[in-house]
Amino acid sequence: MYRSHVTKLNLGLLFAATLVGCSSETAPRVLTTEERLLVEFEAAYSESGPVPEGEVHFELRASPTEVPQFDDAPFAVWAYNEQVPGPVLRVRLGETVVVVLQNDLPQPTTIHWHGVRVPNAMDGVPGVTQPAVEPGESFTYRFTPKDAGTFWFHPHVRGSEQVERGLYGVLIVDDPEPLPWSRDELWVLDDWLIRKGPELVEEFNTRRDLSHDGRWGNVVTVNGNYRNELEARPGERLRLRLANTANGRIFAPDFGELDAKVIAVDGLYTSEPLPAEGFEISPGNRLDLDITIPKGSAGQAFEVVDRFTRQAFILSRIRVSGDEVETPTFEAPRNPNIPEWNEFEAVELDAEYVLNARAGGKYGLEWTINDVAWEQAVIDEEFGKLEAGQFHRLRFTNASARLHPMHLHGQFFKVLSRNGEAVSEPYFRDTVLLKRRETVDIGLVPLDWGRWMLHCHILEHAEAGMMTAVDVPKATSE
Ligand code: C2O
Ligand code: CU
């Protein structure tokens, strides 16, 4: 199984240092805090036994089309394979994903594999990891996911327009030995700003979107359905995967009487099942839940209500019918090796990213990171460097009154503190929400070299400049 040899190397050296200490009759060398944090991380990403091999081929054709939406009225979108959400790509851990993207859009595009630890060249960032795919052209993505879980994909060109128009889909990487869930279900959450027709409002990156928390739609869909319902039988045990593909909207699902436990955040398992109360799903985030439908609930419908805004609304219903089934019993999947990193404060900050807005730029308002607005053209710059296989502490400081779900490509991180107070989140993430004027410290051990984007996942904020990169240089031994 994949384990960065960079990390192995470092840990190997730590071991050697300790052993040498022993044999020469002096006390073993005391590890530094950085080294202890690294030891905690050593088994962080789940290891599994033998995994299957082989390639799984997919084709994704991006094109303008119409889909039945909003009470079946034809609705003009841009879509992968004429579906919104796009097709679910599903592989098993160990298998290689090969995706031929055919661009039949009137604009250049790319695909970014959100949350998947891919080789840098497969990361889908135009001008950084690949040239954009021009209309009429195609590009082949090829990578072997290193983690099982729920991921998604979307363009990284004019995201605020292309994702809003319907270009997104989910990638599921199954564990080598999937557990016997009664059902494995997916809810892709999105919202749309439409007017009568129905038709999509085609003014993108408006002043209003930019000065607020991006573009929030007036209709919410789950799996493209305006009134979504999931059918289940009493006693069934569901793995329910949620993915937020909206440009700006944040969801806070309330499962009411249902006992819902979070088992994975942003694809990776948590250290133990966690109560779902209080979890917020920002653009980019995924949440996997373990839900057992109570026996004796046939004929009932459970409502899942969104409570992020003051106007609560029904996100979806779970309608129970049919004969009772035996509830499968197994221990929910978990990752006991999530590092605690309690000692993080002893490690100096490697970088601070101050998030703010100012007048200027092509939209009249720019979103900046350390007073710089990202420009597609400026890519030869030097960015902050993070050393592979080493612990790093980064800080986001939100100097604005808006929301910023910050996403880092190519690595997982752990939230260490909010507003100076240590927090214990027993899981990794790839996107963390900063509320107004909030400060968040994260810890990470980068494993894969390359230039990785760091940006706000409110796509209008990213479009208006809120994007930067970090460089993980190739170790000289590689
Ligand atoms: Cu899902 Cu760079 O983003
Ligand atoms: Cu933002």
Side-chain angles (χ1 to χ4, degrees):
M1 229 356 267
Y2 170 82
R3 290 276 297 289
S4 156
H5 61 277
V6 179
T7 308
K8 262 208 175 122
L9 182 82
N10 287 326
L11 294 172
L13 287 176
L14 293 185
F15 256 128
T18 322
L19 288 177
V20 168
C22 287
S23 59
S24 63
E25 284 175 30
T26 54
R29 184 167 77 76
V30 177
L31 299 184
T32 65
T33 312
E34 278 91 342
E35 288 166 345
R36 282 197 301 273
L37 294 171
L38 211 50
V39 171
E40 278 185 61
F41 178 79
E42 205 221 356
Y45 299 145
S46 49
E47 290 183 74
S48 40
V51 292
E53 285 170 26
E55 289 184 347
V56 188
H57 289 249
F58 302 97
E59 272 175 40
L60 291 176
R61 193 175 77 89
S63 69
T65 186
E66 280 186 350
V67 293
Q69 202 102 347
F70 314 121
D71 299 323
D72 289 340
F75 182 67
V77 294
W78 290 2
Y80 294 118
N81 301 358
E82 319 219 327
Q83 297 166 233
V84 178
V88 176
L89 310 185
R90 195 158 194 154
V91 297
R92 283 187 300 165
L93 189 66
E95 288 175 333
T96 296
V97 179
V98 182
V99 176
V100 179
L101 164 67
Q102 172 64 37
N103 181 10
D104 288 336
L105 300 170
Q107 290 177 4
T109 193
T110 59
I111 297 180
H112 168 59
W113 307 94
H114 183 122
V116 185
R117 295 190 290 140
V118 294
N120 198 237
M122 296 291 116
D123 204 39
V125 183
V128 176
T129 66
Q130 70 170 101
V133 185
E134 295 298 325
E137 315 238 289
S138 65
F139 185 88
T140 302
Y141 293 94
R142 174 189 294 269
F143 55 90
T144 310
K146 295 167 179 171
D147 308 290
T150 309
F151 304 96
W152 70 295
F153 55 93
H154 60 80
H156 226 280
V157 178
R158 299 171 72 142
S160 55
E161 173 177 357
Q162 295 192 4
V163 177
E164 176 66 10
R165 286 184 184 274
L167 290 167
Y168 53 78
V170 165
L171 167 66
I172 295 176
V173 182
D174 280 313
D175 287 306
E177 286 163 44
L179 290 162
W181 304 95
S182 315
R183 283 164 195 278
D184 189 327
E185 298 283 348
L186 172 64
W187 284 357
V188 181
L189 315 179
D190 194 8
D191 68 349
W192 306 79
L193 187 59
I194 61 173
R195 57 167 71 101
K196 259 203 206 110
E199 59 180 28
L200 193 69
V201 174
E202 291 188 332
E203 290 85 49
F204 300 101
N205 308 306
T206 63
R207 182 75 197 205
R208 195 196 142 75
D209 297 345
L210 290 176
S211 58
H212 292 81
D213 302 315
R215 170 166 163 140
W216 285 50
N218 46 13
V219 188
V220 170
T221 56
V222 175
N223 298 342
N225 302 317
Y226 171 39
R227 292 187 191 84
N228 191 63
E229 283 196 357
L230 169 62
E231 304 270 340
R233 290 168 64 180
E236 281 188 326
R237 186 166 173 191
L238 273 59
R239 174 166 180 164
L240 179 60
R241 303 167 191 259
L242 309 185
N244 183 357
T245 64
N247 284 31
R249 180 182 291 272
I250 293 153
F251 295 92
D254 174 357
F255 287 83
E257 298 146 60
L258 277 180
D259 177 28
K261 291 273 182 338
V262 171
I263 54 166
V265 175
D266 289 347
L268 300 186
Y269 292 126
T270 54
S271 68
E272 57 182 349
L274 306 166
E277 283 93 69
F279 270 90
E280 292 171 340
I281 314 176
S282 298
N285 280 142
R286 286 88 62 218
L287 219 53
D288 287 35
L289 298 148
D290 178 357
I291 300 175
T292 296
I293 306 295
K295 292 195 171 162
S297 65
Q300 252 180 272
F302 294 95
E303 289 176 348
V304 180
V305 174
D306 181 79
R307 296 198 189 280
F308 187 78
T309 63
R310 257 166 282 159
Q311 274 180 349
F313 61 91
I314 297 171
L315 202 52
S316 188
R317 287 190 174 78
I318 300 178
R319 196 170 287 286
V320 188
S321 64
D323 295 336
E324 212 156 275
V325 302
E326 223 17 82
T327 303
T329 50
F330 54 85
E331 189 176 282
R334 68 194 66 201
N335 178 1
N337 298 318
I338 307 277
E340 294 198 9
W341 284 344
N342 290 328
E343 293 184 273
F344 73 91
E345 270 165 346
V347 177
E348 268 180 51
L349 277 184
D350 289 274
E352 178 175 9
Y353 298 97
V354 180
L355 316 175
N356 213 345
R358 66 176 176 219
K362 61 177 168 180
Y363 302 113
L365 183 72
E366 291 184 309
W367 280 100
T368 58
I369 299 180
N370 295 343
D371 294 323
V372 177
W374 173 267
E375 292 206 32
Q376 220 43 268
V378 188
I379 47 162
D380 293 327
E381 249 179 83
E382 287 271 310
F383 293 101
K385 286 199 183 14
L386 300 180
E387 210 181 319
Q390 295 296 333
F391 176 85
H392 295 275
R393 175 154 73 113
L394 308 180
R395 174 170 295 169
F396 299 115
T397 300
N398 183 1
S400 79
R402 307 302 341 176
L403 302 170
H404 304 297
M406 298 303 291
H407 171 50
L408 176 59
H409 286 204
Q411 358 274 324
F412 292 100
F413 56 81
K414 213 183 151 236
V415 171
L416 304 171
S417 69
R418 280 188 189 266
N419 296 325
E421 301 236 354
V423 294
S424 76
E425 286 192 346
Y427 46 86
F428 289 103
R429 299 169 159 277
D430 63 38
T431 305
V432 61
L433 178 62
L434 275 92
K435 297 203 172 155
R436 58 184 305 165
R437 317 252 171 231
E438 214 175 14
T439 295
V440 169
D441 282 13
I442 63 167
L444 77 158
V445 178
L447 295 178
D448 299 293
W449 64 270
R451 173 162 288 182
W452 303 105
M453 307 311 290
L454 172 60
H455 64 89
C456 178
H457 220 291
I458 288 184
L459 298 174
E460 289 74 19
H461 291 180
E463 179 68 27
M466 202 168 223
M467 177 141 75
T468 184
V470 297
D471 282 333
V472 180
K474 207 169 184 169
T476 41
S477 61
E478 283 183 68

